[in-house]
Amino acid sequence: GQSSPAAREGMKLLRRIFWRLLLAAAACAQTASGSCLPDAILPERRFNVLSPYGPEAPVGIFRGNWSSGMIASEIFKILLEERVGYNSNFTGEGDSVAGAYAVAACTGPFVLRDFDRCTQRWSNTHVFLNFLRTPRNEEEFKYLFGNFTLSRAQVVGQMGYVQSQSAFLKTSVVLQAFAANGLNLDYWQDYTLESKFPEQFFDKVRDSRFQNFLIPCSDEMSTMRDPSVIGQYATATGDITGSLIDIAPQPEVPGEAKPQPLYVAQCWNNSFWRAPGACRLNLTKCIPLVTKNTEDAEAYMQAANWLGLPLAIGVATDANFSIMTTQFTILFDGMRPRRDNVIGTDMTKIVLPEADMAKWDAGIRGTAKPDVSVDKLVHQDMERYGRSVYDFAQAFELYEADIEDMVGQYLAGGKSYYEIACEFVKQNTVFFQPLVPPPTACESGYGICNFQVTGTDSVGMPLPYRFETDRSLADGCAVCEPGRFSQIFRDDVGTSYKCTTCPPGRIQAHQGETSCSPCDPGGYSQKSQRGCDVCDRSHYQPLFGQTSCLKCPERMVTVDVGSKTLDNCVCEGNTFSSCVLSDGSLRPGCNCSKSMYHKQVGSQKNSNCISCPAKMSCEVGSAEQHLPCGKGDDQNRGHYPKPMAGYYNEHKDPYSVYKCFHEKACPGGGIQVCSSNAYGIACGVCEEGYWRRAGECRECSQLEKSTGWILVFILVSVTCFTILYKLDSREVQDWNSPWHRFCSSCYAILVFLQTIDLCVSPFPLLMVRMSEKYEWTGPLSYLSLLQLRRAQCLTSPSFSDAYLLAISIPWVFIPCFAINYLFFVPVKHLRLDFSIMFNIWGSLIKTLFLTNTIHVLQYFASYPHPNGLRSMPTFQEILFDSSDHDDMLFVAILATLLNVVLPFVAACVVFRLAPRYFEKERFRNWTKFLLINMRPSVYWWAMIVFCKAIYIGACTVIFEARESVHAALMNGMVVYLAAYFMLQPWRSNVVSRMDSAMHVMLCMMIALIPFILRKSDFDPGSLYSDTDLLSMMFVIFFYSTALATLIAIGVMTSQKMASGQERLRVKCEARASELCKTFECMTSEKVLAEVMQSMASADYDIVMDCVNMLQGEMFAVRGRAPRLLWRLQGKLPRDHEDHSRLYGAEAVWT
């Protein structure tokens, strides 16, 4: 009943020719699009796999690394792309276990049971078609499936063919044996017919060529040397003698278990193991069978033993095995479908007894090896997220004959796997058609659409297709884009999906989803279906799936967008929630004394949020519940009304806000918060051991804390007193000596420094802003004479002590001078001149008059607080109308009379009497300190300096607004500077130029104050804070220039008027008369020389007046008539114009 080998071989040849003709014809029809099929789905219409566990991706295919696995994967890929419509790619290749691990989302390299690499939920490999279910592979797969549950590989069916393993031989040998002896060498029983000599058709075992290809049995790498393999043969067959060798025999010990032998194969010529029977008895009867160096050699050893086959079995490496199958006539181990080119295209399988699974499981292998199932593995989530791929993989099958034929084509050479697979698909299109779903059979995540028309997505952007709801209008599927969801429907054709727009209140931000999610609380969806809009500030939404948000109550906002409840609504900025309710009760959580809380008045009583008090900042969400009840109770609290930077309040009355004269002293942001080492109202007091500079409390140095500097001050004072006493004893003709010029320069510099100090003191932030903009100006703050006395470093004086110390400076020197005077009284020739000592003391009073004035008047200066109270600028902790302030009223009035009024009145009296009594030496000695620095024509200029000091001090007392103080200072200094330039009061030209330069610099500095300060440093609503500084400064400069010009024009106009000329004439005549009287009394040459010498140091203006007048009187200059009139015998001529009549007459002064 069996066909002959020749008949079977002929049928294979005819079928191969037929297939090749069909494939050649189909290849001619291939289009130029790059696809295999002419009507393939275009690449732009193909899908990716959608999964919530990873990004969309093409279908990943893992290939078995053998010929049948490669070809089957290529066929599947072609159909998946061009018929099912999915993008795909090959993610790797390997054996069956590697494929199972890849589908289970394990990352390579694949190591058995290395589950640390299997931590992904979603795999980029979705399909593996060639899992060989061998016992070992199945055991590994079960272990993987049972222990790794996060991502599993699921078996969806078999490939339609099995992997069978058996012995093969060349078909030509089969034909030759059948023709010669009628032997069917493709059947195992014919090998046992010794009478027909089957060994004659094979190479002899004695052939020396075998030695070059087989692995020696004694080689440690040989399977024949493996005791675990050969021991299994010994256990199953008991064939030991002449077959096996115990390589480690051990003697038996009585009473102990028999030791296990370690068997290895006993080979002939170290090459072939011989089966028992004919082959082992007679070497010429042996038929060679070669296997690879695997455990399969032991199975053939058992088959030869149980079936009585005369086999000589050897093992070879993979490379040598391939060569031997073509160059030797032998039996060899092989598989069908063929896995590789180890076996040539011309081969015939030897039929062995049908496999007995029970015997194989028991280790008895005397039958054919059981066929291996070829399973298809798909990732478990593909059933849900790639249903079309899952269904197609489940239905995909190939016949063994087809796959065997295609492997044969590949082994024949000349074609790639893809070319062979493409030809096969083209030929079997009808066969595969039932496996492919219709184009409108969309799966979850997709929806039916029409690719012939264009449409728009959920936000109006164009799409190359239009989603449909009726299958009859659709011709394909497209992934549901964001804003839509994939909705299942059923019709006459079957089940499919359509993309439906999300309803209001629900959104879908991802593509390929099957439902829309409701907007969470804090969000809503009205128009956009792709994402929820979060509730804006001042809105909230507590429910799911809403289309709008609710607005917070009046004057309430939310801190962030997306608020969920009404509790998220808090008071808006610059408002706060009061603890006192309209009925007078307190809100829950308000634990402080009721007197601390804000009292609601008027319309505020029914308001959720009330306005923030003046000069306090209320951040969003401020509430009195967070108000600290006392110091140290403000940790981890929320927002509450806090004083702004530059302001201060206290716990006992947190809404009574004080303005800090120095902004840096009060950083704000909390109750009773001061800068480092400061405390008290308006942070006006420095702690012990600290002194204030530019609003900061600086630590005193060790030198400043010691009393040694007092001794140094006394020694320096004595030295200076001695020098001044020596200089002050000079007479009037030496008043312009170099020493006096030096002293005048020192006086001008000290006055200049005090003037700067007094002009800057109303602007405490000026030096801070200068140091911020110009770092090099930082040390200038140390030049302040007001800061040189640091009494706080020695003690912590009270306000009364500090004020008394400041105003008593002029009178401290009187005891010192008295002690010096009395010390030298007993010694007659060392006795001091009291008038000179008075001049030294008067010089100190005159020099420090500006500082003394501001110290006295600071008691009357004040600035307002937002709470209605007032503080002293220099002692911010002292409030007006407080007991500390009122107690010093009498002292302040007395100090004003003694330190300001008395010196000014005394100076006025001196200047009134000076023209009359200056010629008297006693008068000059007692008033020298007022007259010595100035020219005689403007001897009264010191009084102008006194007026300037009083004016500057009065500006700080009269004006509260800093811009008013600035304008008053600017105007006063401009007037002073204009008068100074016209009169040039200094006796020395050098001192005059130096003082001019210093006062010009002073005016420029005052003019630049608004540029250095910030607008916020001035009071809100003032001209300086609301007007552009450049425009403002233009107005100031224009006004100042106009004022100076008007003064100069007025002076010049008055001099040109008749009355002005008369006054000038009288003045010049008086000076000339004095000069003439001086010369009339000079009869001594010595006296005349002294006077002429002193003329050089006399008032330049007086000398020039005299010279000009004498020139005009004696000569007719430029047409002017001479004013020197001549008496004729004691009478004036009537005709003053007749000058010729006057010549020769006696000349006298009229």
Side-chain angles (χ1 to χ4, degrees):
Q2 295 182 357
S3 61
S4 66
R8 291 196 299 270
E9 187 63 25
M11 291 298 296
K12 289 182 180 180
L13 181 60
L14 291 175
R15 186 171 56 186
R16 187 178 299 117
I17 295 174
F18 175 75
W19 281 112
R20 290 188 177 179
L21 290 175
L22 288 178
L23 292 175
C28 298
Q30 185 174 359
T31 64
S33 63
S35 300
C36 174
L37 300 175
D39 55 348
I41 296 176
L42 298 177
E44 58 268 19
R45 294 178 57 179
R46 297 172 187 170
F47 312 136
N48 289 326
V49 178
L50 304 177
S51 171
Y53 308 111
E56 63 172 288
V59 177
I61 304 172
F62 193 90
R63 299 188 293 182
N65 58 354
W66 54 90
S67 298
S68 58
M70 292 287 190
I71 293 174
S73 299
E74 289 285 359
I75 295 173
F76 182 83
K77 184 175 184 299
I78 292 172
L79 293 173
L80 184 66
E81 290 181 344
E82 302 183 16
R83 280 290 179 260
V84 183
Y86 270 85
N87 294 311
S88 64
N89 61 4
F90 293 122
T91 57
E93 58 184 52
D95 60 16
S96 296
V97 175
Y101 273 74
V103 175
C106 301
T107 58
F110 303 107
V111 180
L112 296 183
R113 304 189 181 183
D114 182 9
F115 295 107
D116 291 338
R117 302 179 183 274
C118 304
T119 58
Q120 304 296 321
R121 179 64 179 86
W122 181 249
S123 175
N124 64 343
T125 298
H126 309 104
V127 178
F128 177 49
L129 301 175
N130 302 102
F131 181 77
L132 302 180
R133 192 177 286 275
T134 63
R136 181 178 178 183
N137 291 349
E138 184 173 12
E139 178 183 0
E140 190 65 32
F141 180 77
K142 289 181 179 179
Y143 189 89
L144 174 66
F145 191 85
N147 290 274
F148 182 55
T149 60
L150 184 62
S151 180
R152 290 173 171 174
Q154 183 176 348
V155 179
V156 295
Q158 298 179 352
M159 279 294 293
Y161 60 89
V162 295
Q163 188 79 50
S164 60
Q165 184 174 2
S166 183
F168 290 83
L169 77 161
K170 295 178 181 179
T171 303
S172 59
V173 177
V174 176
L175 296 175
Q176 180 183 0
F178 183 78
N181 292 341
L183 284 172
N184 286 323
L185 293 183
D186 54 353
Y187 191 66
W188 68 273
Q189 287 184 337
D190 283 18
Y191 288 88
T192 61
L193 302 176
E194 296 184 24
S195 60
K196 292 191 176 184
F197 306 102
E199 70 276 5
Q200 63 179 318
F201 300 102
F202 296 91
D203 290 333
K204 302 302 182 182
V205 175
R206 297 179 181 274
D207 193 333
S208 60
R209 294 181 301 166
F210 284 116
Q211 302 295 324
N212 300 326
F213 293 92
L214 296 177
I215 300 176
C217 293
S218 59
D219 193 324
E220 295 293 337
M221 301 301 296
S222 174
T223 303
M224 298 296 183
R225 188 72 178 176
D226 188 352
S228 62
V229 176
I230 304 303
Q232 186 174 354
Y233 171 80
T235 302
T237 63
D239 179 27
I240 298 174
T241 304
S243 175
L244 308 178
I245 301 175
D246 187 358
I247 59 175
Q250 298 181 11
E252 295 186 16
V253 178
E256 294 184 4
K258 184 177 180 180
Q260 294 293 330
L262 297 178
Y263 290 118
V264 297
Q266 181 178 357
C267 298
W268 176 83
N269 201 23
N270 203 24
S271 300
F272 286 103
W273 173 88
R274 293 181 296 170
C279 178
R280 188 176 296 176
L281 298 175
N282 186 358
L283 188 61
T284 59
K285 295 290 185 178
C286 293
I287 300 175
L289 184 143
V290 179
T291 71
K292 292 183 179 180
N293 192 28
T294 64
E295 298 177 3
D296 294 330
E298 187 270 336
Y300 286 109
M301 292 170 62
Q302 283 202 44
N305 180 53
W306 294 113
L307 300 178
L309 301 177
L311 301 181
I313 302 174
V315 295
T317 61
D318 291 352
N320 289 342
F321 183 80
S322 300
I323 298 173
M324 295 182 71
T325 59
T326 58
Q327 295 185 8
F328 289 84
T329 304
I330 56 176
L331 298 176
F332 44 81
D333 181 35
M335 288 188 179
R336 177 171 289 173
R338 285 170 286 178
R339 294 171 59 104
D340 46 41
N341 58 357
V342 170
I343 304 174
T345 57
D346 182 19
M347 68 174 187
T348 298
K349 177 182 176 181
I350 300 177
V351 179
L352 297 176
E354 185 177 355
D356 188 340
M357 292 300 299
K359 290 184 177 181
W360 271 82
D361 292 340
I364 306 300
R365 296 174 178 140
T367 62
K369 189 173 184 179
D371 292 336
V372 176
S373 173
V374 182
D375 293 345
K376 296 171 290 188
L377 303 183
V378 178
H379 191 274
Q380 63 180 5
D381 288 340
M382 291 298 291
E383 187 174 6
R384 179 179 180 185
Y385 301 112
R387 185 67 193 189
S388 296
V389 179
Y390 181 90
D391 292 341
F392 178 66
Q394 190 175 36
F396 181 76
E397 290 183 358
L398 293 174
Y399 294 133
E400 179 180 346
D402 295 332
I403 196 69
E404 178 68 21
D405 182 72
M406 287 184 282
V407 171
Q409 294 180 47
Y410 177 76
L411 297 178
K415 292 183 180 181
S416 64
Y417 291 130
Y418 175 80
E419 292 174 340
I420 296 173
C422 180
E423 292 175 356
F424 180 77
V425 170
K426 288 178 179 180
Q427 180 183 0
N428 294 274
T429 302
V430 177
F431 173 77
F432 289 115
Q433 188 61 41
L435 306 181
V436 178
T440 57
C442 305
E443 62 181 66
S444 175
Y446 294 82
I448 57 175
C449 66
N450 189 343
F451 285 96
Q452 307 304 318
V453 294
T454 59
T456 57
D457 60 10
S458 58
V459 294
M461 299 301 292
L463 291 175
Y465 49 83
R466 184 180 67 192
F467 287 109
E468 301 289 355
T469 58
D470 188 352
R471 192 199 293 259
S472 62
L473 301 177
D475 60 359
C477 299
V479 63
C480 293
E481 39 98 19
R484 304 176 192 262
F485 69 99
S486 182
Q487 183 180 20
I488 191 172
F489 72 92
R490 293 176 177 83
D491 57 12
D492 296 338
V493 179
T495 301
S496 187
Y497 288 83
K498 58 184 177 181
C499 295
T500 305
T501 302
C502 294
R506 305 178 74 87
I507 57 97
Q508 182 50 257
H510 304 286
Q511 65 177 8
E513 297 296 331
T514 59
S515 63
C516 293
S517 303
C519 291
D520 293 333
Y524 69 99
S525 173
Q526 191 174 28
K527 294 181 179 180
S528 174
Q529 290 79 28
R530 292 194 172 194
C532 294
D533 297 320
V534 295
C535 293
D536 294 333
R537 295 183 189 275
S538 305
H539 293 77
Y540 68 98
Q541 179 50 257
L543 303 177
F544 287 89
Q546 298 302 303
T547 59
S548 63
C549 294
L550 305 176
K551 185 173 178 57
C552 290
E554 184 181 3
R555 305 190 76 178
M556 300 190 78
V557 297
T558 57
V559 178
D560 297 315
V561 297
S563 297
K564 300 179 180 180
T565 64
L566 180 60
D567 294 337
N568 297 132
C569 293
V570 295
C571 290
E572 64 183 3
N574 206 31
T575 64
F576 70 99
S577 174
S578 175
C579 275
V580 181
L581 300 176
S582 57
D583 58 359
S585 61
L586 296 180
R587 293 180 187 271
C590 299
N591 304 319
C592 300
S593 172
K594 188 175 181 179
S595 61
M596 290 184 58
Y597 296 124
H598 191 272
K599 284 73 178 175
Q600 298 189 35
V601 295
S603 61
Q604 294 181 343
K605 288 188 176 181
N606 297 321
S607 176
N608 291 315
C609 302
I610 60 178
S611 299
C612 198
K615 304 305 177 184
M616 298 190 78
S617 64
C618 297
E619 299 181 50
V620 175
S622 294
E624 280 192 317
Q625 289 95 324
H626 306 146
L627 193 71
C629 299
K631 194 170 183 179
D633 188 34
D634 54 353
Q635 300 294 325
N636 301 321
R637 286 185 172 269
H639 299 307
Y640 58 89
K642 303 174 184 177
M644 297 179 180
Y647 294 88
Y648 172 88
N649 64 347
E650 295 184 330
H651 285 95
K652 61 182 180 181
D653 191 358
Y655 296 104
S656 179
V657 180
Y658 299 89
K659 179 180 180 180
C660 301
F661 194 71
H662 298 275
E663 182 178 321
K664 294 183 67 175
C666 302
I671 299 179
Q672 245 172 280
V673 176
C674 294
S675 61
S676 300
N677 310 305
Y679 66 95
I681 293 177
C683 302
V685 185
C686 288
E687 295 178 354
E688 185 176 357
Y690 292 84
W691 64 283
R692 185 175 297 279
R693 182 176 76 87
E696 297 179 341
C697 292
R698 302 296 181 92
E699 185 175 6
C700 300
S701 64
Q702 294 299 324
L703 178 62
E704 292 167 339
K705 292 180 181 179
S706 66
T707 57
W709 67 271
I710 299 179
L711 178 61
V712 174
F713 174 76
I714 295 175
L715 295 176
V716 172
S717 300
V718 172
T719 304
C720 294
F721 173 80
T722 304
I723 296 173
L724 292 174
Y725 185 88
K726 183 66 176 177
L727 295 175
D728 205 70
S729 61
R730 298 190 178 188
E731 260 301 331
V732 63
Q733 63 268 17
D734 295 326
W735 283 8
N736 201 30
S737 64
W739 277 108
H740 281 85
R741 287 197 295 270
F742 174 75
C743 292
S744 298
S745 301
C746 294
Y747 169 71
I749 293 174
L750 291 174
V751 171
F752 171 71
L753 292 177
Q754 292 177 84
T755 305
I756 289 180
D757 215 3
L758 298 181
C759 292
V760 169
S761 61
F763 309 97
L765 293 175
L766 181 62
M767 299 307 298
V768 176
R769 300 294 183 240
M770 287 183 62
S771 61
E772 290 175 355
K773 294 183 179 181
Y774 315 103
E775 295 183 0
W776 58 270
T777 61
L780 295 180
S781 61
Y782 290 96
L783 298 179
S784 172
L785 295 181
L786 297 176
Q787 299 288 355
L788 294 179
R789 302 190 301 274
R790 302 173 186 173
Q792 283 184 298
C793 293
L794 293 176
T795 181
S796 297
S798 63
F799 160 66
S800 57
D801 295 339
Y803 185 70
L804 286 173
L805 179 63
I807 64 177
S808 63
I809 295 298
W811 312 103
V812 171
F813 295 101
I814 293 179
C816 297
F817 288 171
I819 293 173
N820 284 334
Y821 179 79
L822 296 176
F823 182 78
F824 292 103
V825 166
V827 184
K828 186 176 182 180
H829 66 279
L830 295 178
R831 187 176 301 170
L832 301 179
D833 189 334
F834 192 76
S835 63
I836 298 177
M837 295 183 62
F838 178 79
N839 269 282
I840 297 174
W841 179 74
S843 299
L844 293 175
I845 296 297
K846 182 183 72 170
T847 302
L848 299 177
F849 183 78
L850 276 80
T851 300
N852 294 332
T853 300
I854 200 67
H855 281 161
V856 172
L857 296 181
Q858 68 184 358
Y859 176 86
F860 304 97
S862 67
Y863 71 95
H865 294 295
N867 57 11
L869 302 176
R870 307 179 71 86
S871 282
M872 297 177 60
T874 50
F875 298 94
Q876 298 87 31
E877 73 279 9
I878 302 301
L879 299 175
F880 262 48
D881 300 329
S882 64
S883 58
D884 291 337
H885 187 269
D886 293 343
D887 291 345
M888 297 301 294
L889 177 61
F890 175 78
V891 176
I893 296 175
L894 181 62
T896 304
L897 295 175
L898 293 178
N899 288 14
V900 181
V901 178
L902 180 61
F904 182 77
V905 172
C908 292
V909 172
V910 170
F911 294 138
R912 177 67 178 172
L913 300 177
R916 184 183 306 175
Y917 295 100
F918 183 77
E919 62 182 9
K920 296 181 180 181
E921 182 179 358
R922 182 179 177 81
F923 180 84
R924 291 198 305 271
N925 289 341
W926 283 89
T927 61
K928 187 189 309 181
F929 69 94
L930 291 173
L931 306 173
I932 190 171
N933 295 326
M934 307 303 168
R935 294 189 294 109
S937 59
V938 282
Y939 62 91
W940 41 265
W941 187 259
M943 186 176 64
I944 303 300
V945 177
F946 286 180
C947 291
K948 180 179 70 171
I950 297 174
Y951 176 81
I952 294 175
C955 288
T956 61
V957 175
I958 297 173
F959 301 107
E960 291 182 359
R962 292 173 181 173
E963 58 270 20
S964 301
V965 175
H966 176 261
L969 291 176
M970 189 66 193
N971 292 333
M973 293 309 302
V974 168
V975 173
Y976 177 86
L977 190 61
Y980 180 87
F981 277 123
M982 287 190 299
L983 298 176
Q984 292 292 314
W986 290 98
R987 182 181 296 273
S988 171
N989 289 331
V990 175
V991 179
S992 180
R993 295 189 185 96
M994 180 184 67
D995 197 33
S996 299
M998 290 190 297
H999 277 82
V1000 169
M1001 292 172 54
L1002 179 63
C1003 288
M1004 293 178 61
M1005 188 195 73
I1006 296 176
L1008 291 174
I1009 285 177
F1011 286 103
I1012 299 173
L1013 293 175
R1014 301 172 182 171
K1015 291 184 178 182
S1016 58
D1017 296 334
F1018 295 95
D1019 295 332
S1022 65
L1023 177 69
Y1024 286 17
S1025 63
D1026 296 338
T1027 307
D1028 182 74
L1029 286 178
L1030 292 178
S1031 303
M1032 179 195 65
M1033 292 309 302
F1034 176 77
V1035 173
I1036 292 177
F1037 276 118
F1038 178 80
Y1039 172 73
S1040 303
T1041 305
L1043 181 62
T1045 304
L1046 290 175
I1047 294 175
I1049 293 175
V1051 173
M1052 291 186 292
T1053 304
S1054 64
Q1055 291 180 351
K1056 290 184 178 180
M1057 296 173 63
S1059 59
Q1061 293 181 352
E1062 182 66 24
R1063 287 194 299 270
L1064 182 60
R1065 180 183 301 172
V1066 171
K1067 174 183 175 182
C1068 292
E1069 288 178 352
R1071 293 180 177 177
S1073 176
E1074 292 173 0
L1075 187 62
C1076 290
K1077 288 179 181 179
T1078 301
F1079 281 99
E1080 285 177 358
C1081 66
M1082 294 179 187
T1083 57
S1084 170
E1085 294 182 358
K1086 180 179 180 181
V1087 174
L1088 182 60
E1090 291 177 354
V1091 172
M1092 295 301 293
Q1093 183 180 1
S1094 65
M1095 285 285 289
S1097 61
D1099 191 338
Y1100 175 77
D1101 286 349
I1102 294 178
V1103 175
M1104 290 306 299
D1105 286 344
C1106 294
V1107 171
N1108 292 335
M1109 195 179 81
L1110 288 176
Q1111 182 183 21
E1113 299 290 354
M1114 295 180 180
F1115 306 99
V1117 180
R1118 296 181 183 177
R1120 291 184 299 173
R1123 289 183 57 257
L1124 186 60
L1125 303 181
W1126 302 92
R1127 291 175 182 269
L1128 293 176
Q1129 297 178 354
K1131 298 181 180 179
L1132 289 173
R1134 295 180 181 179
D1135 187 5
H1136 292 178
E1137 301 294 333
D1138 189 2
H1139 299 283
S1140 60
R1141 296 169 54 193
L1142 301 179
Y1143 294 155
E1146 181 183 2
V1148 296
W1149 292 102
T1150 57

